[in-house]
Each structure stands twice: as C-alpha cells, then as structure tokens.
Amino acid sequence: MTADDVITVFEQMNAEGRADYSLDDTCAGFAGWLAEAWERLPAQDIALLTAVGAVLWREGFALRQK
C-alpha cells in the first residue's frame, strides 16, 4: 500500500460518512493508543505520530475557539 492509497482510504471514509468522530475523541483515542505503543516504536515513528497528534489537538482547539 502506498501513501496515496491510504489517503484514498481517508477520503473514501469521509465521503461515506465513516469519519464522523469528534476531534476531541479522536485525539484522546489516538493518545491512548500511542501511549500503549510508545515503548515498542522506533524514535522516528514516535516523532511522526506525535506530530500527527499535535495537529489533531491544534485543529480541535481551533474549532473550540470558533
């Protein structure tokens, strides 16, 4: 699977209405998963995944400010 394939999955889930989760719940769930996986992930994966989490948090924060 390529990155473009994964983006297509994201787009399809959104189009089908299967991405109907709040950013707060998504961020909390992602943080919980990452906390459990932290010890077995390489540093470069942790760096990428924490950046993804930070973007989720930032976007959720921005929505709350509107």
Side-chain angles (χ1 to χ4, degrees), residues 8-21:
T8 298
V9 171
F10 295 163
E11 291 172 343
Q12 185 174 1
M13 287 181 68
N14 188 52
E16 294 172 355
R18 294 188 296 148
D20 191 25
Y21 298 95

Side-chain angles (χ1 to χ4, degrees), residues 1 3 5 11 14-15 19 21 23-24 26-27 33 35-36 38-42 47 50 52 58 61-63:
M1 186 170 273
D5 294 335
E11 291 172 343
N14 188 52
Y21 298 95
L23 279 172
D24 287 342
T26 301
C27 192
W33 172 83
E36 287 182 21
W38 194 278
E39 294 301 320
R40 56 182 194 274
L41 294 172
T50 54
V52 169
R58 181 192 68 215
F61 183 80
L63 285 175

Side-chain angles (χ1 to χ4, degrees), residues 41-52:
L41 294 172
Q44 70 184 41
D45 289 352
I46 291 171
L48 173 63
L49 293 168
T50 54
V52 169

